[in-house]
Amino acid sequence: QVQLVESGGGLVQPGGSLRLSCAASGRIFSSNAMGWYRQAPGEQRELVAIITGGGRTNYGDSVKGRFTISRDNAKNTVYLQMNSLKPEDTAVYYCSAVVTGIWYWGQGTMVTVSS
């Protein structure tokens, strides 16, 4: 089993920044891919960013150039640095991990971008 716990969400003004963290525990290794997805009210869950065990990254088109995903393997933690936030970034952000072909999800953390 793998447990994922997100933190760092909150309310921020447009143009502001937030950093999300996802602490992983259980049978997860530095070689496993991890990522962030988000789901806005009434919308489907969409990819935000993924990072492989080797450090390769991939981003959703709407966040390229503004968000940065990184990982600290010693702490089993993945981060999402979000800059230049827009109201349309408002969503619940979920951490994910893929371990032996099984997807695991955190409970999500709410990010609200509003003035």
Side-chain angles (χ1 to χ4, degrees):
Q1 286 288 348
V2 174
Q3 295 79 41
L4 304 172
V5 179
E6 303 100 333
S7 61
L11 173 65
V12 63
Q13 292 187 342
S17 298
L18 277 177
R19 189 176 81 153
L20 305 183
S21 299
C22 172
S25 60
R27 297 183 63 81
I28 187 167
F29 304 97
S30 60
S31 59
N32 296 127
M34 297 186 68
W36 291 92
Y37 287 74
R38 69 186 183 187
Q39 187 166 18
E43 302 290 334
Q44 291 187 335
R45 192 170 295 189
E46 65 173 357
L47 168 70
V48 177
I50 286 179
I51 186 167
T52 69
R56 292 176 62 182
T57 59
N58 189 35
Y59 295 91
D61 288 341
S62 62
V63 306
K64 285 180 180 177
R66 299 188 298 122
F67 291 11
T68 302
I69 188 171
S70 61
R71 65 191 297 166
D72 183 337
N73 290 331
K75 297 181 179 179
N76 270 352
T77 300
V78 173
Y79 304 97
L80 184 68
Q81 178 65 44
M82 305 185 293
N83 298 328
S84 302
L85 282 160
K86 305 175 181 180
E88 51 263 43
D89 294 317
T90 295
V92 178
Y93 285 69
Y94 296 93
C95 179
S96 68
V98 184
V99 180
T100 60
I102 300 173
W103 284 78
Y104 294 90
W105 299 91
Q107 291 185 324
T109 185
M110 184 71 203
V111 172
T112 302
V113 185
S114 176
S115 56

